[in-house]
Amino acid sequence: MSVIDKGALSYLKGRIHLRSVMETTAVTSTTLSTEAPLLQMKHISISFPGVKALTDVDFQTTAGTAHALIGANGAGKSTLMKILSGAYNHYEGEIWLDGREVHIRSPKEAKDLGIQIVYQEVDTALIPNLTVGENIMLDRTVHDMGRRHLIRWKELYQEAESILARMNIRVSGKKLISELTLAEKQMVLIARAVSKQCRILVLDEPTAPLSHSETEQLFKLVRKLKEDGVSIIFISHRLPELYEICDEITIMRDGQLVKSDRIANIDQPKVVEYMLGAKMDQQFPRIEREIGPTWFEVNNMLDSGKINGVNLHIRQGEIVGLAGLVGAGKTELCRAIFGASDTSTGEIRLGGSKLRIRSPHDAVRYGIALVPEERRREGVFVEEPVSVNLTAAVLSHFSKWGSWLSFGKEKQAAREMIERLGIKTPSEKARVRNLSGGNQQKVAIGKWLLVDADVYIFDEPTKGVDVGAKRDIFNLVAELAKRGKCVLYASSELSEIVGITDRVYVMYDGSITKELTTRSSHEEEILLYCTGGGLT
Amino acid sequence: MNTARPVKEKPAASFAFDFLYKYGTLITVFVLILVFGTVADNFLNTSNIINILRSISIVTIIAVGLTVSLAVGGFDLSVGSTASLANALVISMFVWHGQNIGIGIGLTLLFCLAVGLINAFLVINFKIDDMLMTLATMFIFQGVALTYTRGATISQNMILPSGDFATGKIPAVFEKIGQVPWIIVIMVLVVIVVHLFLTYTKHGRYMYMIGGNREAAALSGIPVSKYRLAAYLVSALFAAIGGIILGARVMTAEVNSGGPYLMDAVAATFIGYSVFGAGKPNALGTFVGAVLIGILQNGLIMLSVPYYAMDIVKGSVLALALALTYYKKRH
């Protein structure tokens, strides 16, 4: 406890100082190592319809090093790496390799230059019903067979095994991909990437789904590749890992490069500081409200490796934030509480009495509402009109004699809700698919306002929602709390967590690692805990 | 990123498509009536119209059950086999076991509900694709019906394996079910009841929601599994009613008598998707679809098109209806 406090305190002091430093040095990149860089990306800019995604980015890496690339969601790191791998052809700027300007406008050109990228979704990149060997040699089987039509199996497996041996990966080439663990799949994917000429290897959040020991295995492989002179670009949100494996770091924010340096020259809080930058002012409602007694409790919630024994409680009228990065387990926790996971166990209490929640149907009956993250897939019925969507969870209130629908009442309620939430729709009969993202979200929320539940769980409610609709949503959330509801607000947008909640639980890797009172905390501190920092 | 969908100006071609999609089936029905009415003299006779309605009644009843299974996003391919089984059971109850009409029909319905229960159990618990699972059970129940009848036709005074004649009689009241007007009355009742159920009750609304987005339905607190089970029970129930009426109409239980009704029911249901622009399975649409098929069949026979070429026509109509439905889904 004292260790943490001390760390946080010194970090706080540093922070004030840092702000002033940042203002003078912002958006400059210092020269990194003295060695000649392997890769240089100069003055890279790219726009998509309506958005300027990257502005004049200079990025460089050295052979035989691992380079961390970090930034908040939407900072532009994936876009930059996609340009490098040839996914876009309409960018401006130059790419230099070995001091020579190269031309990368298609994935094939990038691969021919030895630039390989391993995406986060390993399962979409490998073919599960083929063997490890076949997958490793896939590129060659597809592109380098020429006029040959028969596969030489012996040759294929010999070569695959030699690649695996060279990289110290202990997986049989004859095993099916579907039998492998996630970590093994990841390593097979990397083996495939380096099976051809590989000079630059981009790893996009490779550790997100891995356990601790699996991550260690992966790092061994990364170190081996470094020794072989490969330049590795490592994208991750987990700060401690970056410090363990990387030599250099580049931090991006809002489509610009903010800082490049040797990682040893920057400590973790400083990285967080650079990631966040100056805060944009958002309009958060200031509604005075009474916070009552503890009303909703979750004890020892477990879900097969995704949630590891979570405890939390919410008081009446309290907005509790659930902060965490993408993949920390927030969505899984929300779904588990709501009874939407078949494998979860744990005790849930409402007003002191224990609830038996085996399905969302039970949860709704007990007065729990969930506004899910994937709105189009889980939240709304796009083919149905607005009115049908709004009454979906309380249809009993709009039917007489047990089940006969009264369309008049439904129409009236729908119109009132459209008015109250300011949903922009031609009428209550319009199909939801024709509404904008923000208005669809309002429909998804409005559905639960008609229910009048006791506990409201919001999972990333402002994802893909415009600024105006965001403010409306914040107001709604605050209003619910004012009426004495328990609100759980899960988000990876920390400014929202800070702006709207009373108390915050920070989730990291399936566990709640920190509980904070919002008023006495701030965004940087929460982000530090979200990235697994600050605890050691 | 979920961006606002800009409101597009609809081109004239799209309007034309929407109009044809909504009213195309009805227009086709009227055009067919006009064409057949002018070409074939007897086509518009009252007796022929009643004849058409009678001929589509069994298909319609089975198709309405199928419509309910499709409404929850399922697909019950076993309806034809269930009808065969029901036909065999109900006739055997009378002929073999000498039961009265109440017990005969009651037990048949009960057995067929068990079929629906098995379908629902397999589909829901093992999360198997509905169409594949019911393809399997279609063969199973077809086989069960065949085994039950020992691969033979059941009829009054048939010779039993023991060498004796069967003594059971089919009740005269039962015969009435398969005759005009009752056969048509039952069909109309079934269509109306299911239409009201799907459109005007909470339960029907839930079924469409489950069919539209199962995940969102579950997360809205709708007990998805219960409603899917109910849909398969309803589907089996109507298939059984179809089979029983078939038995009343022909007074025997032929081998695999219900099988041919499957394709007609599927065609009627999918043609029904587009009626009035519903865009989803609906009982009234299914009825219109069955009428369309019935008129085509009747008219073409009057024009001396051989019966064995009929499947080509029906299959083409189904293909057209599917093409329309899926084209609409993508636009």
Side-chain angles (χ1 to χ4, degrees):
Chain A
M1 164 105 184
S2 64
V3 180
I4 296 166
D5 284 352
K6 227 186 265 172
L9 198 67
S10 66
Y11 154 62
L12 262 173
K13 278 181 197 154
R15 192 178 146 252
I16 298 152
H17 165 67
L18 254 167
R19 275 260 187 249
S20 54
V21 174
M22 256 184 69
E23 265 139 37
T24 52
T25 62
V27 203
T28 54
S29 71
T30 44
T31 327
L32 294 168
S33 50
T34 46
E35 290 166 57
L38 173 68
L39 167 78
Q40 287 173 289
M41 298 178 83
K42 297 181 181 174
H43 309 295
I44 303 286
S45 297
I46 191 170
S47 307
F48 298 102
V51 210
K52 182 121 184 153
L54 291 177
T55 316
D56 199 21
V57 173
D58 286 311
F59 178 72
Q60 60 179 48
T61 68
T62 321
T65 63
H67 194 115
L69 184 58
I70 191 167
N73 297 335
K77 35 186 207 310
S78 297
T79 312
L80 186 67
M81 289 303 107
K82 277 188 178 164
I83 288 175
L84 182 61
S85 64
Y88 301 122
N89 63 9
H90 65 282
Y91 64 91
E92 294 160 34
E94 299 164 5
I95 301 177
W96 292 59
L97 203 64
D98 280 336
R100 261 180 333 110
E101 186 173 359
V102 292
H103 187 264
I104 300 179
R105 299 279 164 176
S106 74
K108 188 172 177 339
E109 284 168 322
K111 278 191 179 165
D112 289 346
L113 289 166
I115 298 167
Q116 305 281 356
I117 183 159
V118 175
Y119 290 106
Q120 197 180 349
E121 294 87 10
V122 290
D123 285 316
T124 58
L126 294 168
I127 302 173
N129 53 0
L130 297 187
T131 61
V132 170
E134 284 172 280
N135 269 284
I136 291 177
M137 304 301 286
L138 193 72
D139 270 352
R140 272 191 251 185
T141 320
V142 175
H143 295 298
D144 302 344
M145 291 269 289
R147 290 181 170 277
R148 244 175 358 108
H149 287 274
L150 295 176
I151 291 174
R152 293 182 191 133
W153 289 106
K154 208 172 147 192
E155 228 171 73
L156 183 144
Y157 279 113
Q158 267 172 2
E159 201 148 340
E161 294 284 359
S162 83
I163 291 168
L164 289 170
R166 201 171 72 219
M167 306 192 36
N168 289 327
I169 301 174
R170 276 187 290 278
V171 178
S172 160
K174 295 263 170 75
K175 227 175 170 182
L176 284 180
I177 291 292
S178 52
E179 297 167 11
L180 301 187
T181 66
L182 256 180
E184 286 173 332
K185 284 181 194 166
Q186 194 116 49
M187 285 192 273
V188 169
L189 210 49
I190 294 173
R192 180 163 91 188
V194 301
S195 73
K196 294 186 104 180
Q197 175 211 13
C198 177
R199 307 200 55 202
I200 298 169
L201 178 65
V202 182
L203 299 173
D204 189 355
E205 295 218 35
T207 57
L210 301 188
S211 72
H212 193 70
S213 60
E214 287 174 330
T215 304
E216 279 307 311
Q217 264 177 293
L218 179 74
F219 282 180
K220 260 187 213 156
L221 184 54
V222 170
R223 288 194 190 97
K224 169 97 176 84
L225 287 170
K226 274 204 295 194
E227 282 167 26
D228 294 348
V230 176
S231 163
I232 289 160
I233 302 171
F234 198 96
I235 302 179
S236 173
H237 280 122
R238 300 183 173 183
L239 283 177
E241 282 173 11
L242 296 181
Y243 278 86
E244 189 180 339
I245 194 81
C246 293
D247 311 288
E248 294 163 352
I249 186 165
T250 290
I251 303 155
M252 293 186 70
R253 187 209 319 148
D254 300 332
Q256 297 188 329
L257 189 141
V258 205
K259 183 79 182 167
S260 266
D261 207 338
R262 295 204 60 83
I263 202 161
N265 297 343
I266 303 186
D267 62 8
Q268 290 189 22
K270 230 193 264 182
V271 171
V272 170
E273 183 75 47
Y274 281 122
M275 277 169 71
L276 290 173
K279 260 173 247 152
M280 290 214 303
D281 279 327
Q282 264 172 322
Q283 298 278 317
F284 293 107
R286 284 276 146 249
I287 298 179
E288 285 307 314
R289 49 178 198 268
E290 297 252 323
I291 291 183
T294 298
W295 196 249
F296 184 69
E297 287 169 86
V298 174
N299 295 321
N300 199 25
M301 183 61 82
L302 289 160
D303 194 355
S304 60
K306 290 175 285 184
I307 309 165
N308 317 316
V310 164
N311 298 301
L312 61 84
H313 65 272
I314 309 174
R315 299 186 184 92
Q316 277 183 327
E318 188 182 34
I319 303 174
V320 172
L322 189 61
L325 299 172
V326 176
K330 303 189 301 295
T331 297
E332 287 76 6
L333 178 59
C334 292
R335 289 178 63 95
I337 295 173
F338 196 59
S341 166
D342 293 335
T343 47
S344 66
T345 57
E347 189 194 56
I348 296 173
R349 286 176 175 278
L350 185 67
S353 55
K354 203 177 155 197
L355 308 184
R356 268 172 61 80
I357 298 178
R358 285 158 307 171
S359 69
H361 180 59
D362 293 336
V364 172
R365 275 190 318 159
Y366 284 125
I368 302 173
L370 168 71
V371 178
E373 181 186 12
E374 296 286 338
R375 166 170 63 236
R376 279 181 86 85
R377 203 169 60 77
E378 304 172 325
V380 291
F381 303 87
V382 289
E383 294 295 340
E384 299 286 347
V386 173
S387 55
V388 168
N389 270 278
L390 285 171
T391 55
V394 269
L395 217 41
S396 312
H397 294 192
F398 298 98
S399 36
K400 43 194 168 182
W401 311 316
S403 50
W404 198 259
L405 292 175
S406 50
F407 289 90
K409 253 171 97 181
E410 180 180 38
K411 185 168 147 189
Q412 199 193 341
R415 285 193 170 166
E416 279 171 20
M417 193 51 78
I418 289 168
E419 179 89 1
R420 186 172 149 203
L421 301 186
I423 300 171
K424 288 185 191 66
T425 171
S427 81
E428 77 282 351
K429 289 190 205 114
R431 290 189 184 194
V432 166
R433 73 167 328 132
N434 297 326
L435 268 51
S436 73
N439 284 301
Q440 288 186 1
Q441 184 70 331
K442 286 184 189 171
V443 170
I445 296 174
K447 172 168 83 182
W448 294 112
L449 297 182
L450 280 173
V451 173
D452 200 36
D454 283 347
V455 181
Y456 283 84
I457 304 171
F458 293 89
D459 190 6
E460 303 278 2
T462 59
K463 193 173 158 187
V465 165
D466 65 77
V467 182
K470 266 186 194 173
R471 196 162 50 228
D472 293 343
I473 290 169
F474 298 146
N475 281 322
L476 271 170
V477 171
E479 224 173 90
L480 283 171
K482 189 173 166 49
R483 277 161 49 199
K485 313 293 187 190
C486 306
V487 178
L488 184 64
Y489 192 95
S491 179
S492 51
E493 299 287 338
L494 298 183
S495 59
E496 292 177 13
I497 296 268
V498 170
I500 198 164
T501 64
D502 303 305
R503 199 155 52 82
V504 188
Y505 291 108
V506 180
M507 259 192 118
Y508 179 74
D509 215 3
S511 304
I512 285 180
T513 51
K514 189 74 187 165
E515 184 183 342
L516 299 159
T517 306
T518 310
R519 202 174 302 165
S520 58
S521 181
H522 48 81
E523 217 172 306
E524 287 85 352
E525 188 185 9
I526 297 172
L527 181 56
L528 188 65
Y529 291 122
C530 285
T531 52
L535 294 170
T536 44
Chain B
M1 186 79 62
N2 220 322
T3 47
R5 188 182 287 254
V7 181
K8 271 181 265 173
E9 291 295 321
K10 282 196 172 181
S14 171
F15 264 124
F17 176 78
D18 278 353
F19 181 80
L20 275 180
Y21 180 78
K22 268 188 184 174
Y23 303 107
T25 319
L26 290 172
I27 293 170
T28 313
V29 169
F30 283 116
V31 168
L32 282 177
I33 290 173
L34 275 180
V35 170
F36 289 135
T38 38
V39 178
D41 295 338
N42 305 330
F43 184 78
L44 285 175
N45 285 356
T46 322
S47 65
N48 191 48
I49 290 170
I50 288 173
N51 192 24
I52 291 174
L53 285 175
R54 192 188 60 194
S55 72
I56 64 166
S57 51
I58 295 171
V59 173
T60 306
I61 292 166
I62 295 175
V64 163
L66 183 69
T67 303
V68 175
S69 79
L70 280 162
V72 294
F75 200 148
D76 190 352
L77 280 180
S78 70
V79 284
S81 301
T82 310
S84 300
L85 183 64
N87 185 1
L89 282 170
V90 78
I91 297 295
S92 73
M93 286 293 164
F94 302 136
V95 176
W96 289 355
H97 305 296
Q99 296 295 341
N100 65 32
I101 185 163
I103 291 180
I105 291 179
L107 280 179
T108 303
L109 291 180
L110 221 56
F111 277 119
C112 289
L113 281 177
V115 169
L117 199 65
I118 292 169
N119 276 335
F121 173 78
L122 292 172
V123 167
I124 295 168
N125 282 281
F126 296 104
K127 300 186 168 62
I128 305 165
D129 184 73
D130 297 61
M131 224 201 305
L132 293 176
M133 193 66 245
T134 52
L135 180 68
T137 55
M138 172 179 101
F139 279 102
I140 295 174
F141 297 121
Q142 188 176 305
V144 169
L146 272 175
T147 312
Y148 178 68
T149 61
R150 297 181 185 84
T153 302
I154 307 174
S155 56
Q156 285 191 95
N157 302 320
M158 69 183 288
I159 301 169
L160 295 172
S162 60
D164 302 330
F165 284 98
T167 51
K169 290 271 171 278
I170 300 175
V173 193
F174 182 70
E175 202 176 348
K176 283 261 183 284
I177 297 175
Q179 290 168 350
V180 177
W182 297 112
I183 186 167
I184 296 173
V185 169
I186 295 172
M187 166 182 75
V188 170
L189 272 180
V190 163
V191 170
I192 290 174
V193 166
V194 173
H195 174 71
L196 293 179
F197 173 79
L198 284 177
T199 319
Y200 292 97
T201 71
K202 165 174 103 170
H203 310 292
R205 172 76 66 82
Y206 283 160
M207 285 186 169
Y208 279 133
M209 294 186 135
I210 293 166
N213 187 342
R214 194 182 294 167
E215 185 70 18
L219 290 180
S220 298
I222 297 169
V224 171
S225 297
K226 268 189 211 162
Y227 278 99
R228 292 178 74 199
L229 167 67
Y232 274 99
L233 290 181
V234 169
S235 174
L237 181 72
F238 284 124
I241 294 175
I244 290 168
I245 294 175
L246 177 64
R249 197 153 138 61
V250 296
M251 298 294 274
T252 58
E254 306 278 349
V255 168
N256 194 22
S257 55
Y261 288 99
L262 172 65
M263 272 315 291
D264 289 14
V266 171
T269 310
F270 276 96
I271 293 169
Y273 268 51
S274 67
V275 177
F276 304 122
K280 52 191 178 191
N282 65 97
L284 282 187
T286 300
F287 175 65
V288 174
V291 167
L292 178 72
I293 295 173
I295 289 177
L296 255 182
Q297 190 156 344
N298 183 285
L300 290 176
I301 286 173
M302 283 195 162
L303 296 183
S304 310
V305 173
Y307 72 92
Y308 47 75
M310 212 54 77
D311 283 354
I312 302 175
V313 177
K314 281 195 249 172
S316 307
V317 170
L318 173 59
L320 188 69
L322 286 172
L324 270 177
T325 306
Y326 280 82
Y327 181 83
K328 175 82 180 167
K329 262 187 197 164
R330 278 188 291 111
H331 289 78

